[in-house]
Amino acid sequence: MASIIDASPKRRALQAAYNAEHGITPESVVRAIEDVMSSVYARDYAPVPAIREPGDNFRTQAELDAEIARLEAEMKGAAANLDFERAAALRDSVKSLRSRELGLTSLPAGR
């Protein structure tokens, strides 16, 4: 530990000599928040596109069940094709239809 602490001033002196020789003036990195937020990491997280839900056009429980089954099949197909954003949106549509099936008007956040 002591040898590392002793090496720091020597490294600083070498860096200062190099900077002076090459006309380099050290400066802090200054970035706008927009630059940081639009970095590669931030662009990796895209919002999940919403799937239009059909209105309350179900006349019978069988029609509702058929729509839920169709959406579930489409969701599984999207997941099999590695289209996880679409699969997640379809999953949310199925949840919404099931909440109607149970007579719920809206689900609490996070459910």
Side-chain angles (χ1 to χ4, degrees):
M1 185 81 148
S3 66
I4 293 172
I5 293 172
D6 291 339
S8 290
K10 292 175 190 173
R11 289 185 186 144
R12 276 196 199 106
L14 285 172
Q15 187 68 52
Y18 178 86
N19 290 349
E21 182 181 333
H22 293 93
I24 298 172
T25 304
E27 294 179 12
S28 294
V29 175
V30 178
R31 292 186 182 158
I33 290 177
E34 293 83 26
D35 294 341
V36 174
M37 295 306 291
S38 66
S39 70
V40 174
Y41 303 110
R43 281 183 259 145
D44 281 345
Y45 298 99
V48 176
I51 301 290
R52 271 190 64 217
E53 293 181 20
D56 293 322
N57 299 337
F58 304 108
R59 288 177 276 167
T60 65
Q61 182 65 36
E63 287 180 1
L64 179 60
D65 293 340
E67 179 65 13
I68 290 173
R70 186 189 69 75
L71 288 174
E72 285 178 337
E74 190 176 342
M75 176 183 66
K76 289 176 184 176
N81 290 329
L82 305 180
D83 188 0
F84 299 116
E85 291 86 7
R86 178 142 177 83
L90 290 165
R91 176 204 59 210
D92 295 342
S93 295
V94 168
K95 278 182 165 181
S96 175
L97 289 175
R98 291 217 173 153
S99 69
R100 287 186 203 172
E101 180 179 44
L102 297 174
L104 302 174
T105 56
S106 64
L107 289 175
R111 298 234 172 189

